[in-house]
Amino acid sequence: MGVNYGCNKVRFPSPVPVDSNLRLGVAVAEVEDVTGGVQVAFDMTFETEGSSKPSCVAQVVYRYFY
C-alpha cells in the first residue's frame, strides 16, 4: 500500500499559460525506513515548454507499507 504523506519545499517560479505542454522530471531524493515500510522523498520539477524557468518545484513524500 502507498500513501501520499505530504509535500516539502513547494515553489511556483513561473506561471503556466493555458494550453501549454508540460514535462515532469522526477528524482529519488531520500529513502528512509519507517515502521512497517519505507518513506521515499521525490524531487519533482514541472517544466513548461518554451519557458526558461520551471513552473513548479516540489519535494513529494510517499510512504509504502508491506
Side-chain angles (χ1 to χ4, degrees), residues 1-6 38 40 61-65:
M1 174 177 66
V3 177
N4 179 335
Y5 196 66
V38 295
V40 183
V61 182
Y62 289 94
R63 283 200 174 179
Y64 299 100
F65 299 96

Side-chain angles (χ1 to χ4, degrees), residues 15-46:
V16 178
V18 174
D19 293 330
S20 294
N21 291 319
L22 296 174
R23 176 174 54 194
L24 172 62
V26 180
V28 175
E30 182 180 3
V31 178
E32 179 183 343
D33 286 327
V34 295
T35 304
V38 295
Q39 178 171 293
V40 183
F42 294 102
D43 288 336
M44 298 187 174
T45 303
F46 293 85

Side-chain angles (χ1 to χ4, degrees), residues 7 10 19 25 31 35 39 50-51 54-56 66:
C7 296
V10 179
D19 293 330
V31 178
T35 304
Q39 178 171 293
S51 178
S55 52
C56 178
Y66 359 95

